[in-house]
Amino acid sequence: MSSSPMEHGPPARQRVGGRLSPGEFDDLFRAWYPRMVSQAFLLSAGRLPLAQDAAQEAFVKCWRRLTDPHAVVVDNWPAWLRVTVINETFAALKKEAPVRHVGGEELDRADRGLDPASHLDLKDAYRTVCGHIARLSDRQREVVARCALGGQSLKEAAVIMGISEGTARAHLYRARQALNPVWTELKAMGVLDESSEGGQ
């Protein structure tokens, strides 16, 4: 099975962190926008418009930060984008109706934004993963996203979510149990940060 587009690193000539020129920002956008949409798509359990909006908003914030001479320099833009997309996705979900399962037509359109060589059964894999994610509670979905995708520690996730670390750990455990049948697919899609608490 081939790796997903989210697993590949940025082009060799693209710097990962620091101040970027307009051309380097364009390279960052081209390399990472589809991955950010894919991740938001999975986190929202198949809401493509929401995923696109979340990814676009993340890059708007990225541009604003790049053009602010007083902003702290970011050492790793892809990691920063991952966390920002997570924040934007869950902020948008809190304003929306409950998450529902992805429809075939929407999945087809999301499919076209991804590398067609990533999976021969990409559509089925996405449908399966989205179904499992949709069945998680809001808290479970958020804590597993922050820890397994965003690389945040349980303590960091708990502070952001306004819950205790013990509660966050319980949500993460339940989410891991619920997602266990599709954990291999999540790894293959490059969604998980294996160095994080959630990816272990």
Side-chain angles (χ1 to χ4, degrees):
M1 181 182 293
S2 301
S3 61
S4 82
M6 288 183 281
E7 289 181 293
H8 301 312
R13 67 189 184 88
Q14 180 190 331
R15 286 192 292 119
V16 172
R19 299 287 183 193
L20 305 180
S21 69
E24 288 170 329
F25 174 82
D26 289 344
D27 289 342
L28 183 75
F29 182 86
R30 281 192 294 270
W32 292 98
Y33 176 75
R35 307 163 204 224
M36 297 300 105
V37 171
S38 297
Q39 290 166 4
F41 181 76
L42 287 172
L43 293 180
S44 63
R47 294 183 175 209
L48 181 59
L50 185 151
Q52 292 170 327
D53 288 347
Q56 288 167 8
E57 185 60 29
F59 275 96
V60 167
K61 290 185 174 181
C62 173
W63 177 255
R64 287 177 182 159
R65 187 156 185 154
L66 281 171
T67 54
D68 181 356
H70 304 295
V72 176
V73 175
V74 172
D75 293 326
N76 187 324
W77 283 111
W80 184 91
L81 285 166
R82 276 180 183 255
V83 173
T84 304
V85 166
I86 289 170
N87 292 339
E88 294 298 325
T89 300
F90 285 105
L93 283 172
K94 287 173 184 175
K95 300 176 185 176
E96 298 257 336
V99 173
R100 46 88 176 129
H101 292 281
V102 62
E105 181 181 340
E106 199 167 3
L107 189 58
D108 289 342
R109 285 187 285 126
D111 222 343
R112 290 196 288 271
L114 304 170
D115 179 1
S118 61
H119 286 282
L120 293 177
D121 59 343
L122 178 65
K123 195 179 301 181
D124 289 339
Y126 260 72
R127 183 175 285 111
T128 300
V129 170
C130 282
H132 278 77
I133 290 176
R135 287 191 285 272
L136 299 177
S137 71
D138 291 343
R139 289 296 200 187
Q140 290 170 359
R141 189 180 305 111
E142 184 166 0
V143 75
V144 79
R146 291 190 178 282
C147 294
L149 187 144
Q152 295 174 333
S153 68
L154 270 171
K155 184 175 181 179
E156 290 171 323
V159 169
I160 292 169
M161 295 171 66
I163 58 178
S164 71
E165 187 173 347
T167 300
R169 188 180 303 280
H171 283 311
L172 179 60
Y173 174 79
R174 293 189 188 105
R176 282 293 312 270
Q177 293 295 108
L179 293 176
N180 189 58
V182 293
W183 209 252
T184 299
E185 284 83 355
L186 286 166
K187 286 182 179 179
M189 291 175 184
V191 171
L192 301 177
D193 180 350
E194 292 295 341
S195 66
S196 70
E197 292 181 69
Q200 292 174 352

